[in-house]
Amino acid sequence: MRVAVEERPPVSVEADAVVAGVFKGGELDPPAAELDAALGGALKALVAAGEIRGEPGEIAIYHTDGRLPARRVILVGLGPAGKLDGERVRQAAGSAARAARDRGCRRVALTLLGEGSPGGPEVAERARALVEGAWLGLYRFQAYKSKPDEKAVEELGVVAPAADVAAAVEEGRVLAEATCLARDLTNEPSNRMTPRLLAEAAARLAEDGRLEVEVFDERWMEQEGMGALLGVARGSQEPPRFIVLRYRSGRAGAPLLALVGKGLTFDSGGICIKPAEGMDEMKMDMAGGAAVIAAMRAIARLAPALDVVGLVPATENMPGGRAQKPGDVVRACNGKTIEVINTDAEGRLILADAVAYAARLGARWIVDIATLTGAVVIALGHQAAAVIGNDEGLIDAVRAAGALAGERFWPLPAYEEYKEQYKSNIADLKNVGGRPAGTITGALIIGEFVGEASWAHLDIAGVAWHDKDLPYRPAGATGFGVRTLVHLARGLAAGAAG
Ligand code: BES
Ligand code: ZN
Ligand code: MN
């Protein structure tokens, strides 16, 4: 799909559809009002006839019959005028783009929804949100359909002065493309996205020269002493991989940010096997790893002034004959021992080795992202990821980055007392802390391996996957976290410079 800036007024845009907004109560936004004037009040008449009231996500379509160069006007509901933010723009753009595609439109032009009304996001943010919303809303995963739906939007236009929006449009495109890459990796079934195939997908990203990718095998893990990762991998015939992606800013003395993603390509639970019902969804247990791989791609393109390393420990968790067993003790690469009480608490084991490795690389900040616990779904449902860490400043930076992306991160406390819950009788710690505060103890176990680094853990188990369509998140993998991680890298770079 091509994305272009259209430097002309909405009434002279040539397209299969031009999209404009309607606020709650039926007030047309300024671009819609311009179109309405050129159409002799036809759009106001649609509102008066009750075709659209301006509720978020509502759509009404007007055929121009040659009265404008655009064949259709698609009106989209924006909700209350005073509450228009970037996220609403993203949602409206997603709904409108999908409505256009469903009707066979190939060229779709988006006006700056809500532009010219008081309040709301500034022009550049609005333009970025438009492109993200439309691109993400148009996403489909059709790799295994013999008869894929061939309707496709080929050209997406943003109707605005290029000087104001060109950079933001390009940024939106890079961010949306990366998010869709993460969705693709996550939607792939586990027989098509093994650790080796995930590593190959990451390695392909190095081809454009802006990222360095290295892939390590079991022998390397043994040399590095990654007993916790190897312990999880034992139960599977598929060999594990440790994926390292590097973006170098080229600045002397630039601080290092490590992004660490859980790359569990299938989580059966291991010997503590999960129930059959819903087990298929555990192909998405590498969503954190996919988010890191995809974020690294976007970071390399947007080139912030800090160094970033992406680490993805990738393995299956299976109950094979050589699988680790409850009660086994493993040693992570920083020397700490872990008693494996429950083999289904495997994410913290592979992340223990990966964050310890990040600390050894000298990372100033370590941010890990993982579908870590079912408990986070109990705490926050599907509306927010949890964030836990050892540095309030970093947690605030994550939340601010999330706000730019329309991704919510809700903080949970890291009180010392929780650590009692995962004391082991025979090892340094055990891998579960019981049912109370399961998301917190899971996080704090990872935190035992970060050394002196500033650290934040993002539990995305409730938000990485949706069963039903949302405005710009079709059912399936959401790509949650990609855009936040990229904004975080840029925010930390700006903070470190200033
Ligand atoms: N991958 C799961 C967590 C998960 C649950 C992800 C639901 C996505 C949706 C994780 O490895 C797991 O099995 N966690 C256990 C931990 C428990 C054994 C301490 C859980 O949450 O039940
Ligand atoms: Zn898991
Ligand atoms: Mn598990």
Side-chain angles (χ1 to χ4, degrees):
M1 188 165 60
R2 287 184 305 279
V3 179
V5 179
E6 298 261 2
E7 277 194 290
R8 42 180 129 184
V11 293
S12 21
V13 167
E14 281 178 43
D16 294 314
V18 59
V19 177
V22 182
F23 290 114
K24 186 177 165 127
E27 185 202 336
L28 300 179
D29 75 358
E34 279 181 49
L35 291 162
D36 182 61
L39 291 167
L43 302 180
K44 280 206 186 99
L46 272 186
V47 173
E51 293 288 334
I52 182 165
R53 291 161 300 152
E55 296 294 337
E58 266 187 313
I59 296 285
I61 298 185
Y62 184 79
H63 284 259
T64 61
D65 285 327
R67 287 196 282 160
L68 287 182
R71 295 180 57 188
R72 299 170 185 78
V73 175
I74 297 186
L75 291 178
V76 60
L78 301 176
K83 286 197 181 157
L84 188 72
D85 57 8
E87 181 61 4
R88 272 278 157 78
V89 171
R90 224 174 266 118
Q91 292 175 357
S95 302
R98 273 206 265 182
R101 182 184 61 199
D102 291 347
R103 286 158 182 85
C105 298
R106 291 167 181 281
R107 292 179 62 192
V108 178
L110 302 158
T111 61
L112 290 173
L113 299 174
E115 199 224 354
S117 311
E122 58 176 83
V123 174
E125 193 192 341
R126 214 179 282 258
R128 175 170 63 76
L130 275 183
V131 175
E132 287 178 12
W135 189 297
L136 294 172
L138 291 170
Y139 174 83
R140 278 180 299 198
F141 186 73
Q142 305 199 94
Y144 302 109
K145 293 282 191 192
S146 316
K147 294 195 184 76
D149 180 353
E150 274 161 12
K151 287 196 211 101
V153 174
E154 286 160 9
E155 206 174 308
L156 199 64
V158 175
V159 184
D164 296 346
V165 302
V169 164
E170 171 60 8
E171 198 179 304
R173 194 188 63 77
V174 168
L175 290 167
E177 196 179 60
T179 305
C180 291
L181 167 64
R183 289 177 178 179
D184 276 344
L185 296 173
T186 307
N187 280 323
E188 284 286 354
S190 77
N191 61 331
R192 304 281 186 142
M193 193 47 66
T194 60
R196 282 179 293 178
L197 291 169
L198 183 62
E200 278 175 26
R204 278 197 293 278
L205 300 185
E207 284 166 13
D208 77 2
R210 285 179 260 202
L211 267 184
E212 291 166 33
V213 182
E214 280 181 293
V215 176
F216 296 108
D217 64 7
E218 284 159 294
R219 276 195 37 213
W220 178 88
M221 293 170 209
E222 270 157 30
Q223 281 160 16
E224 295 294 327
M226 295 188 169
L229 170 57
L230 285 165
V232 174
R234 285 179 68 87
S236 176
Q237 301 281 354
E238 281 290 340
R241 289 291 182 266
F242 194 91
I243 305 166
V244 180
L245 306 100
R246 279 180 182 277
Y247 159 72
R248 295 182 206 270
S249 65
R251 302 193 184 209
L256 178 65
L257 164 67
L259 303 176
V260 184
K262 175 178 174 181
L264 235 296
T265 61
F266 189 75
D267 182 11
S268 73
I271 293 298
C272 305
I273 198 162
K274 290 177 181 293
E277 171 97 22
M279 200 200 271
D280 58 291
E281 209 179 279
M282 284 301 125
K283 70 171 186 176
M284 59 73 114
D285 212 16
M286 35 59 71
V292 166
I293 291 169
M296 289 302 294
R297 177 180 180 80
I299 287 169
R301 293 189 166 188
L302 298 174
L306 83 175
D307 292 346
V308 189
V309 62
L311 304 175
V312 181
T315 180
E316 291 186 338
N317 185 24
M318 295 287 282
R322 289 168 52 77
Q324 70 179 351
K325 303 168 290 295
D328 287 0
V329 174
V330 294
R331 188 185 297 275
C333 67
N334 67 347
K336 282 198 188 181
T337 57
I338 312 169
E339 186 184 8
V340 181
I341 300 297
N342 189 322
T343 64
D344 197 11
E346 83 297 335
R348 55 203 74 181
L349 294 173
I350 71 171
L351 289 169
D353 271 327
V355 299
Y357 186 73
R360 200 195 296 167
L361 292 178
R364 178 186 304 181
W365 305 281
I366 300 175
V367 177
D368 79 81
I369 177 163
T371 48
L372 203 79
T373 64
V376 79
V377 187
I378 305 303
L380 300 171
H382 305 290
Q383 308 308 326
V387 52
I388 298 156
N390 63 9
D391 174 353
E392 291 299 324
L394 182 60
I395 290 169
D396 289 345
V398 167
R399 299 189 73 201
L404 292 174
E407 296 179 327
R408 297 191 186 110
F409 293 85
W410 198 255
L412 293 178
Y415 305 134
E416 284 293 318
E417 288 81 350
Y418 289 119
K419 298 183 179 174
E420 293 294 321
Q421 289 178 229
Y422 55 80
K423 281 197 168 154
S424 161
N425 290 332
I426 65 165
D428 295 330
L429 57 146
K430 56 184 183 180
N431 77 330
V432 291
R435 276 170 62 84
T439 299
I440 297 173
T441 54
L444 294 181
I445 289 169
I446 298 168
E448 298 288 340
F449 296 84
V450 301
E452 299 304 306
S454 276
W455 159 72
H457 159 78
L458 316 178
D459 192 334
I460 59 168
V463 292
W465 188 268
H466 276 278
D467 291 328
K468 69 178 216 298
D469 283 350
L470 296 174
Y472 65 92
R473 293 187 173 125
T478 60
F480 193 101
V482 173
R483 290 173 302 120
T484 295
L485 293 177
V486 178
H487 289 303
L488 176 67
R490 301 173 98 194
L492 292 176

